[in-house]
Amino acid sequence: MSKHIADTAENNASLKTERAATRKDHKRYIARRFDEVEWKTIRWPGETGKMLFHPEPDNPTHPNTGILRLEPGAFHPEHYHGFAQVWHILSGEFEIDGDVYGPGTVLFHPDPHYEGEFKTESGGEIFIVQYPGPSTGERPIYAGRFNMNERKSVDQERVDV
């Protein structure tokens, strides 16, 4: 219900909940370290990743969260998603739809969104968080994208989800 109310201090103060704010009904945070995770093949050419969190059957709303490492020359075509995501460029320069972004840049992709044509000559790393779209309800996809044994050719990848 709260997603349909404007996010103001006054409106938030008026929200009611049926649950008690206790450790019995709230989950504890989860901590993971990048050095405990192996680099895995990701679907686009020149891209590997370390995903610390991702949706699983027991936790379907976990975000895809991790670091993408892109080799010089890495790229992907324009494609579309129903989930939302945030990228934080940690290193390197990335050309997206003709605009160049570097370290310290944060990009927000609302739901639904498209990722424009993407390429990097320098390579680099991007921290990403993909989460269920607040308006679409569509979830990020982990299996078969962030944990591939073998990468498919770009023309075999779906670009509509």
Short mmCIF file of all heavy atoms in Angstrom, two decimals, residues 137-161:
data_model
loop_
_atom_site.label_atom_id
_atom_site.label_comp_id
_atom_site.label_asym_id
_atom_site.label_seq_id
_atom_site.Cartn_x
_atom_site.Cartn_y
_atom_site.Cartn_z
N GLY A 137 7.14 -4.97 -11.04
CA GLY A 137 7.22 -6.22 -10.29
C GLY A 137 8.17 -7.23 -10.92
O GLY A 137 8.37 -8.31 -10.38
N GLU A 138 8.77 -6.90 -12.07
CA GLU A 138 9.68 -7.83 -12.74
C GLU A 138 10.99 -7.93 -11.97
O GLU A 138 11.51 -6.94 -11.48
CB GLU A 138 9.92 -7.41 -14.18
CG GLU A 138 8.66 -7.56 -15.03
CD GLU A 138 8.91 -7.25 -16.49
OE1 GLU A 138 9.98 -7.64 -17.02
OE2 GLU A 138 8.04 -6.61 -17.10
N ARG A 139 11.50 -9.15 -11.87
CA ARG A 139 12.70 -9.42 -11.08
C ARG A 139 13.93 -9.52 -11.96
O ARG A 139 13.84 -9.93 -13.12
CB ARG A 139 12.53 -10.74 -10.32
CG ARG A 139 11.41 -10.69 -9.32
CD ARG A 139 11.25 -12.03 -8.68
NE ARG A 139 10.15 -12.01 -7.71
CZ ARG A 139 9.62 -13.07 -7.20
NH1 ARG A 139 10.06 -14.26 -7.54
NH2 ARG A 139 8.64 -12.97 -6.34
N PRO A 140 15.09 -9.22 -11.38
CA PRO A 140 16.33 -9.42 -12.13
C PRO A 140 16.56 -10.92 -12.34
O PRO A 140 16.06 -11.74 -11.57
CB PRO A 140 17.40 -8.82 -11.24
CG PRO A 140 16.83 -8.83 -9.87
CD PRO A 140 15.35 -8.71 -10.04
N ILE A 141 17.32 -11.25 -13.36
CA ILE A 141 17.61 -12.65 -13.70
C ILE A 141 19.08 -12.93 -13.38
O ILE A 141 19.96 -12.20 -13.83
CB ILE A 141 17.32 -12.92 -15.19
CG1 ILE A 141 15.86 -12.63 -15.50
CG2 ILE A 141 17.70 -14.35 -15.56
CD1 ILE A 141 15.54 -12.58 -16.99
N TYR A 142 19.33 -13.97 -12.62
CA TYR A 142 20.71 -14.36 -12.29
C TYR A 142 21.14 -15.57 -13.12
O TYR A 142 22.08 -15.51 -13.89
CB TYR A 142 20.84 -14.68 -10.80
CG TYR A 142 22.18 -15.26 -10.44
CD1 TYR A 142 23.29 -14.43 -10.31
CD2 TYR A 142 22.36 -16.63 -10.27
CE1 TYR A 142 24.54 -14.96 -10.01
CE2 TYR A 142 23.60 -17.16 -9.96
CZ TYR A 142 24.68 -16.32 -9.84
OH TYR A 142 25.92 -16.83 -9.55
N ALA A 143 20.41 -16.68 -12.95
CA ALA A 143 20.80 -17.95 -13.56
C ALA A 143 20.84 -17.85 -15.08
O ALA A 143 19.91 -17.37 -15.71
CB ALA A 143 19.84 -19.06 -13.13
N GLY A 144 21.95 -18.28 -15.66
CA GLY A 144 22.10 -18.25 -17.10
C GLY A 144 22.57 -16.91 -17.65
O GLY A 144 22.71 -16.75 -18.85
N ARG A 145 22.83 -15.97 -16.76
CA ARG A 145 23.36 -14.67 -17.18
C ARG A 145 24.63 -14.30 -16.42
O ARG A 145 25.57 -13.78 -16.98
CB ARG A 145 22.32 -13.56 -16.96
CG ARG A 145 21.18 -13.67 -17.92
CD ARG A 145 20.38 -12.40 -17.94
NE ARG A 145 19.33 -12.53 -18.94
CZ ARG A 145 18.39 -11.64 -19.11
NH1 ARG A 145 18.35 -10.56 -18.37
NH2 ARG A 145 17.48 -11.81 -20.04
N PHE A 146 24.62 -14.54 -15.13
CA PHE A 146 25.76 -14.16 -14.29
C PHE A 146 26.59 -15.36 -13.85
O PHE A 146 27.52 -15.20 -13.08
CB PHE A 146 25.27 -13.40 -13.04
CG PHE A 146 24.78 -12.02 -13.36
CD1 PHE A 146 23.44 -11.79 -13.59
CD2 PHE A 146 25.66 -10.95 -13.42
CE1 PHE A 146 22.97 -10.51 -13.88
CE2 PHE A 146 25.21 -9.67 -13.70
CZ PHE A 146 23.87 -9.45 -13.93
N ASN A 147 26.23 -16.54 -14.30
CA ASN A 147 26.94 -17.75 -13.88
C ASN A 147 27.08 -18.73 -15.04
O ASN A 147 26.87 -19.92 -14.89
CB ASN A 147 26.20 -18.42 -12.72
CG ASN A 147 24.80 -18.87 -13.11
OD1 ASN A 147 24.26 -18.46 -14.13
ND2 ASN A 147 24.22 -19.72 -12.30
N MET A 148 27.46 -18.23 -16.18
CA MET A 148 27.52 -19.07 -17.38
C MET A 148 28.79 -19.93 -17.40
O MET A 148 29.86 -19.47 -17.02
CB MET A 148 27.49 -18.18 -18.62
CG MET A 148 26.26 -17.28 -18.69
SD MET A 148 26.29 -16.21 -20.13
CE MET A 148 25.66 -17.37 -21.34
N ASN A 149 28.63 -21.16 -17.86
CA ASN A 149 29.80 -22.00 -18.09
C ASN A 149 30.49 -21.59 -19.38
O ASN A 149 31.70 -21.62 -19.50
CB ASN A 149 29.41 -23.48 -18.15
CG ASN A 149 28.97 -23.99 -16.80
OD1 ASN A 149 29.50 -23.58 -15.77
ND2 ASN A 149 27.98 -24.86 -16.80
N GLU A 150 29.66 -21.25 -20.37
CA GLU A 150 30.18 -20.84 -21.67
C GLU A 150 29.29 -19.73 -22.21
O GLU A 150 28.06 -19.84 -22.18
CB GLU A 150 30.17 -22.03 -22.63
CG GLU A 150 30.83 -21.76 -23.95
CD GLU A 150 30.89 -23.01 -24.80
OE1 GLU A 150 31.29 -24.06 -24.26
OE2 GLU A 150 30.53 -22.93 -25.98
N ARG A 151 29.90 -18.67 -22.69
CA ARG A 151 29.16 -17.53 -23.23
C ARG A 151 28.58 -17.88 -24.60
O ARG A 151 29.22 -18.53 -25.41
CB ARG A 151 30.12 -16.34 -23.34
CG ARG A 151 29.49 -15.06 -23.76
CD ARG A 151 30.50 -13.91 -23.74
NE ARG A 151 30.80 -13.53 -22.37
CZ ARG A 151 32.02 -13.48 -21.86
NH1 ARG A 151 33.07 -13.78 -22.60
NH2 ARG A 151 32.20 -13.13 -20.61
N LYS A 152 27.35 -17.45 -24.84
CA LYS A 152 26.72 -17.58 -26.17
C LYS A 152 27.19 -16.42 -27.03
O LYS A 152 27.69 -15.41 -26.53
CB LYS A 152 25.20 -17.48 -26.05
CG LYS A 152 24.54 -18.52 -25.21
CD LYS A 152 23.05 -18.22 -25.15
CE LYS A 152 22.35 -18.99 -24.08
NZ LYS A 152 20.94 -18.60 -23.95
N SER A 153 26.97 -16.53 -28.33
CA SER A 153 27.25 -15.38 -29.19
C SER A 153 26.18 -14.32 -28.93
O SER A 153 25.05 -14.64 -28.51
CB SER A 153 27.28 -15.79 -30.66
OG SER A 153 26.00 -16.22 -31.07
N VAL A 154 26.51 -13.07 -29.16
CA VAL A 154 25.59 -11.96 -28.88
C VAL A 154 24.27 -12.14 -29.61
O VAL A 154 23.20 -11.88 -29.05
CB VAL A 154 26.24 -10.60 -29.24
CG1 VAL A 154 25.25 -9.46 -29.16
CG2 VAL A 154 27.44 -10.34 -28.35
N ASP A 155 24.30 -12.62 -30.84
CA ASP A 155 23.05 -12.78 -31.60
C ASP A 155 22.14 -13.89 -31.08
O ASP A 155 20.99 -13.98 -31.45
CB ASP A 155 23.33 -12.96 -33.10
CG ASP A 155 24.10 -14.23 -33.42
OD1 ASP A 155 24.73 -14.82 -32.52
OD2 ASP A 155 24.08 -14.63 -34.60
N GLN A 156 22.65 -14.72 -30.16
CA GLN A 156 21.82 -15.76 -29.54
C GLN A 156 21.22 -15.31 -28.21
O GLN A 156 20.41 -16.02 -27.64
CB GLN A 156 22.63 -17.03 -29.30
CG GLN A 156 23.03 -17.74 -30.57
CD GLN A 156 23.84 -18.99 -30.29
OE1 GLN A 156 24.75 -18.97 -29.45
NE2 GLN A 156 23.51 -20.06 -30.97
N GLU A 157 21.62 -14.15 -27.71
CA GLU A 157 21.10 -13.63 -26.44
C GLU A 157 19.80 -12.88 -26.66
O GLU A 157 19.68 -12.12 -27.62
CB GLU A 157 22.12 -12.69 -25.79
CG GLU A 157 23.26 -13.39 -25.12
CD GLU A 157 22.87 -14.11 -23.85
OE1 GLU A 157 21.75 -13.92 -23.33
OE2 GLU A 157 23.68 -14.90 -23.36
N ARG A 158 18.86 -13.09 -25.76
CA ARG A 158 17.62 -12.30 -25.78
C ARG A 158 17.94 -10.89 -25.33
O ARG A 158 18.68 -10.68 -24.38
CB ARG A 158 16.59 -12.91 -24.86
CG ARG A 158 16.02 -14.21 -25.38
CD ARG A 158 14.90 -14.70 -24.54
NE ARG A 158 13.76 -13.78 -24.59
CZ ARG A 158 12.62 -14.00 -23.95
NH1 ARG A 158 12.47 -15.07 -23.20
NH2 ARG A 158 11.63 -13.13 -24.04
N VAL A 159 17.35 -9.92 -25.99
CA VAL A 159 17.55 -8.53 -25.62
C VAL A 159 16.25 -7.88 -25.13
O VAL A 159 16.23 -6.70 -24.81
CB VAL A 159 18.15 -7.70 -26.77
CG1 VAL A 159 19.56 -8.20 -27.11
CG2 VAL A 159 17.25 -7.71 -27.99
N ASP A 160 15.17 -8.67 -25.05
CA ASP A 160 13.87 -8.12 -24.67
C ASP A 160 13.51 -8.34 -23.22
O ASP A 160 12.46 -7.91 -22.76
CB ASP A 160 12.76 -8.70 -25.57
CG ASP A 160 12.65 -10.22 -25.45
OD1 ASP A 160 13.65 -10.88 -25.13
OD2 ASP A 160 11.55 -10.74 -25.69
N VAL A 161 14.36 -9.03 -22.44
CA VAL A 161 14.12 -9.25 -21.01
C VAL A 161 15.42 -9.09 -20.24
O VAL A 161 16.49 -9.25 -20.76
CB VAL A 161 13.53 -10.64 -20.70
CG1 VAL A 161 12.14 -10.75 -21.25
CG2 VAL A 161 14.40 -11.75 -21.22
#
